[in-house]
Amino acid sequence: MMWFRFLMPVISVVVLTLAAVLPWGLAAEDRFVLPLLPVIAIYRWTLDRDAWLPEWVVFLAGLTLDVLTQGPLGYWALVYLFAYAVALFASRVRSDSAFGRMALLAGAILLVTAFAWLLASLYFLQMLNWAPYARSAIVAMFAALLVVPVLGLIRSVSRPPRGIRFTRGSG
Amino acid sequence: MARLRDDNLFLRRGDSVTAGKRARPVLLLLVFAAAGLMLLSRLDHGMIGDVRWRAQSWLTPVLQGAMIPAEPVREIGRTISTQVDLRNELARLGQENQKLESWKWRARQLEAKVAELEALAKVVPEQKLDFVTSRVIAESNGAFVRSVTIDAGRARGVKEGYPVINADGLVGRIVDASQSVARVLLATDLNSRIPVQIGPNAVRGILAGDNGPRPKLIYIPDGANIAIGDDVATSGTGGLFPAGLRLGTVAGNLSDPRVQLRADLDRLDYVSVLFYADPFRDLTDDLANRRTAGEANNVASPGLAPIGKPK
């Protein structure tokens, strides 16, 4: 079962990516929130130094979404890589409180959504309506309140046991 | 020791705590690859479309598998939304039923009259269309495209160009079909163009999608007599769609008329693909085949006299 624990970050990103293309009955303007869910997972696992989520998995997740949504190839791959880069940057910002960490995540979602909007506008060479993107970013922030604890639970279940424990006076 | 240092458990004097992972050169490489793919997609490179469609065909079993656990969640959502709308829906249905009752009698009368006139005029009976009903397994309603993927492909007789409907009216048409799946371009998509007739005067126009919820009506003749609430249906012009498939009603304002579609394209569960082949294409194919066969006959047996010609 070690491999399962090891692959948990990858599995969670893949599951959320597939969930983003399933027909949930959401209005077309509100569907943009679904591809933002893997962004939350990418951010969460990139911050975790024990988790294995290489860049190429992030790239492939985005590419899969591009294939399944019939959008331009590379769009979601680029957005997810941007999310990965934002998470790398966020991992260098120290935040001890839970509120601070959530604020960082909210900022990351906002930044990634803005990047997605900018990239789509660049693709069409015209400024797209930003309102559905903004709405989706806000919904994704609330969704993060649910997704992050679930991922935390997965992490606590799948975390490999440490063989060596240092306690005061053990050396 | 290195791992312990990485975990900040065992630090020596002078070591600094560096939290987080570092960006690796492969990240830059992947960014370039993604940007390159996007550029190729923008240039509409033929290879991209082909690769994408093949990849989607491979991923279809995965999607079908993913639908199994997702179905109960969808069902719960559907039940909640039905319960919320139930009161309004009942009131609407009651009003509609009253209207329909009066129309039913009128329709029967007209039906009898039409049948009588058709018999008198020896009208060729309408072609009966065969169809196949299929489940929607994936949606793509992003900034770029409005389409759905259905789990019926060439193996079930589905071909490119076939119209797709549901109980409420026209949904779109098939644009890609593999052996097991097909992609339906929805009427709201930016690339969708449907010849339509509007209202009792059967004003001709084109229903053009713009990725919004209500597609617009374009190429309406100047001074055409249309009104808000007029019914919009396919006109059959061009042979892409059969005439008379209902779409919706004219909405918005008459300076920029739009169509409120009857079919809820955001909540498609099952759709039917009509086996309607473009009659003009059939005619041209038939002529081309006859010409080719004729040429082949001439080439294969130049010494033979044409059929029916006395030797």
Side-chain angles (χ1 to χ4, degrees):
Chain A
M1 285 300 280
M2 275 302 287
W3 64 270
F4 187 70
R5 288 175 172 182
F6 183 66
L7 287 178
M8 219 46 202
V10 177
I11 291 169
S12 61
V13 170
V14 169
V15 166
L16 287 173
T17 305
L18 285 178
V21 289
L22 293 180
W24 296 108
L26 290 173
E29 293 80 35
D30 300 333
R31 272 193 71 85
F32 186 73
V33 69
L34 295 174
L36 290 179
L37 299 183
V39 168
I40 299 167
I42 289 166
Y43 180 89
R44 170 69 182 76
W45 295 120
T46 309
L47 286 190
D48 190 338
R49 281 188 297 166
D50 289 335
W52 184 74
L53 187 70
E55 299 87 341
W56 60 267
V57 170
V58 174
F59 174 78
L60 282 182
L63 209 57
T64 306
L65 198 59
D66 288 326
V67 166
L68 293 174
T69 56
Q70 300 293 325
L73 282 188
Y75 173 75
W76 280 112
L78 211 51
V79 171
Y80 285 179
L81 286 173
F82 181 76
Y84 184 83
V86 167
L88 284 180
F89 178 77
S91 69
R92 295 180 179 280
V93 180
R94 287 199 73 140
S95 173
D96 295 327
S97 67
F99 179 77
R101 283 195 292 272
M102 287 311 282
L104 263 178
L105 173 56
I109 290 171
L110 210 62
L111 210 59
V112 172
T113 312
F115 179 74
W117 170 77
L118 200 67
L119 202 60
S121 300
L122 202 66
Y123 183 84
F124 284 118
L125 298 175
Q126 63 172 22
M127 286 298 173
L128 298 180
N129 182 15
W130 54 268
Y133 289 84
R135 204 165 47 235
S136 298
I138 293 165
V139 176
M141 284 175 203
F142 283 105
L145 294 173
L146 189 75
V147 175
V148 170
V150 171
L151 294 176
L153 194 73
I154 290 171
R155 183 189 184 273
S156 63
V157 171
S158 65
R159 189 178 183 149
R162 289 272 168 83
I164 308 164
R165 282 178 188 272
F166 285 95
T167 53
R168 189 182 286 269
S170 64
Chain B
M1 186 62 80
R3 175 165 180 172
L4 292 176
R5 240 172 54 196
D6 280 351
D7 287 350
N8 300 330
L9 291 172
F10 202 61
L11 295 174
R12 281 187 294 191
R13 187 173 292 171
D15 283 351
S16 60
V17 179
T18 51
K21 295 174 182 174
R22 288 198 196 118
R24 293 191 297 170
V26 70
L27 180 64
L28 202 64
L29 202 72
L30 291 171
V31 166
F32 276 119
L37 280 172
M38 213 175 150
L39 194 68
L40 282 176
S41 295
R42 183 75 183 96
L43 297 172
D44 206 12
H45 199 282
M47 183 194 75
I48 291 285
D50 193 39
V51 167
R52 192 203 334 248
W53 187 236
R54 266 190 210 169
Q56 178 150 21
S57 303
W58 293 333
L59 286 166
T60 304
V62 181
L63 274 179
Q64 283 170 330
M67 280 290 287
I68 297 165
E71 195 56 44
V73 181
R74 284 183 73 194
E75 192 55 49
I76 292 168
R78 213 177 293 140
T79 311
I80 292 169
S81 106
T82 309
Q83 289 297 324
V84 169
D85 294 340
L86 209 59
R87 203 183 167 91
N88 294 334
E89 189 68 7
L90 271 173
R92 191 185 66 80
L93 286 173
Q95 280 180 351
E96 202 170 277
N97 196 39
Q98 274 185 344
K99 271 187 206 168
L100 288 174
E101 279 298 326
S102 57
W103 271 103
K104 193 171 148 188
W105 178 78
R106 180 88 180 116
R108 274 188 187 154
Q109 271 191 329
L110 288 170
E111 201 176 41
K113 201 179 240 177
V114 167
E116 200 177 309
L117 288 170
E118 277 186 351
L120 275 172
K122 294 181 182 171
V123 175
V124 177
E126 270 183 24
Q127 180 194 357
K128 290 240 173 2
L129 292 176
D130 204 359
F131 65 93
V132 64
T133 301
S134 166
R135 194 170 61 152
V136 173
I137 56 166
E139 274 182 355
S140 45
N141 290 331
F144 303 100
V145 73
R146 295 275 189 275
S147 72
V148 294
T149 307
I150 57 169
D151 62 355
R154 289 186 179 280
R156 302 275 306 272
V158 174
K159 288 181 189 167
E160 283 94 349
Y162 280 178
V164 180
I165 59 167
N166 73 353
D168 296 321
L170 186 74
V171 166
R173 68 189 165 92
I174 303 286
V175 284
D176 287 306
S178 72
Q179 206 56 23
S180 56
V181 290
R183 188 162 73 92
V184 181
L185 190 79
L186 299 179
T188 48
D189 187 90
L190 194 67
N191 296 310
S192 170
R193 298 286 183 274
I194 302 169
V196 291
Q197 54 186 16
I198 309 150
N201 299 321
V203 174
R204 299 298 167 107
I206 298 284
L207 183 75
D210 59 355
N211 280 359
R214 294 199 295 193
K216 54 190 173 187
L217 286 167
I218 56 171
Y219 301 131
I220 299 170
D222 288 336
N225 189 13
I226 61 167
I228 300 297
D230 276 357
D231 285 325
V232 179
T234 54
S235 65
T237 310
L240 204 60
F241 296 94
L245 293 178
R246 64 182 177 174
L247 274 152
T249 50
V250 179
N253 54 57
L254 290 175
S255 58
D256 177 28
R258 291 185 174 261
V259 173
Q260 180 66 51
L261 296 171
R262 282 184 65 93
D264 186 354
L265 302 187
D266 297 327
R267 291 182 177 84
L268 293 173
D269 284 332
Y270 287 90
V271 290
S272 298
V273 183
L274 296 179
F275 292 170
Y276 176 78
D278 178 358
F280 300 111
R281 196 170 54 191
D282 280 358
L283 193 66
T284 48
D285 284 354
D286 195 32
L287 284 171
N289 288 342
R290 264 193 257 170
R291 204 167 292 141
T292 319
E295 280 168 10
N297 276 343
N298 290 340
V299 171
S301 51
L304 289 175
I307 298 163
K309 199 171 180 180
K311 284 182 185 175

